[in-house]
Amino acid sequence: MTSKVTYLGGLRTEAQHLASQEIIITDAPKDNQGKGEAFSPTDLVATALASCMITIMGIKARDLGIDLTGTQAEITKIMQQLVRVGVIPEIASIDLDTPITMSPGMTIADAEAALNDESPYNFSKSASPEVKQRVLDRLVQR
């Protein structure tokens, strides 16, 4: 078992990673009857996709001898507009803005190799094709 989730009431959960004992609290968003005081479960889905992407880029970059330390992803989660009462909201798209911080001596070709869509490390294979993923990769000089 990887984790355990406990419902705390008030549309809040506690997720515990069993190996490290780390805890994440989730809260339903304000637009879905919650308090919006913590990540919503769908926020975590979008954030996990970005974390997965950066980790996979890090694996590929490490294999190429490239340092991606400082790379960040800015995540925008877009929910489907509800047109019927009682319909459970779904994620329509996840937009990831990823400014790649180029370490000294890193070339644009190095960065492009780490971001190669044909790579077996391509993160987009981690999500359902029904969820639109838009990724903006930008190279930033350190």
Side-chain angles (χ1 to χ4, degrees):
M1 185 167 41
T2 301
S3 60
K4 174 177 68 175
V5 177
T6 305
Y7 183 66
L8 302 176
L11 306 179
R12 179 169 281 195
T13 68
E14 176 184 281
Q16 182 180 35
H17 180 252
L18 298 178
S20 67
Q21 302 298 303
E22 289 291 324
I23 291 177
I24 298 172
I25 300 294
T26 68
D27 210 4
K30 289 181 178 183
D31 64 359
N32 199 17
Q33 305 175 33
K35 296 177 184 176
E37 295 175 349
F39 280 108
S40 74
T42 55
D43 290 342
L44 287 181
V45 169
T47 302
L49 184 63
S51 182
C52 181
M53 178 190 77
I54 288 178
T55 300
I56 290 169
M57 287 168 49
I59 292 168
K60 179 68 173 176
R62 182 193 61 206
D63 292 350
L64 296 170
I66 300 167
D67 180 11
L68 291 182
T69 301
T71 296
Q72 299 178 352
E74 297 169 4
I75 302 104
T76 302
K77 174 195 70 179
I78 300 167
M79 300 296 288
Q80 287 185 349
Q81 295 297 318
L82 299 178
V83 293
R84 297 186 316 244
V85 175
V87 175
I88 297 172
E90 296 177 353
I91 299 172
S93 70
I94 298 172
D95 297 347
L96 303 174
D97 182 3
T98 313
I100 308 298
T101 304
M102 295 178 62
S103 56
M106 181 182 200
T107 67
I108 291 177
D110 291 336
E112 288 174 348
L115 299 171
N116 183 353
D117 286 339
E118 300 305 316
S119 165
Y121 299 111
N122 187 328
F123 85 98
S124 64
K125 297 173 185 169
S126 299
S128 167
E130 294 177 10
V131 176
K132 293 178 189 168
Q133 300 174 46
R134 291 185 286 255
V135 178
L136 171 62
D137 296 319
R138 294 182 286 125
L139 301 177
V140 178
Q141 296 288 341
R142 230 184 233 177

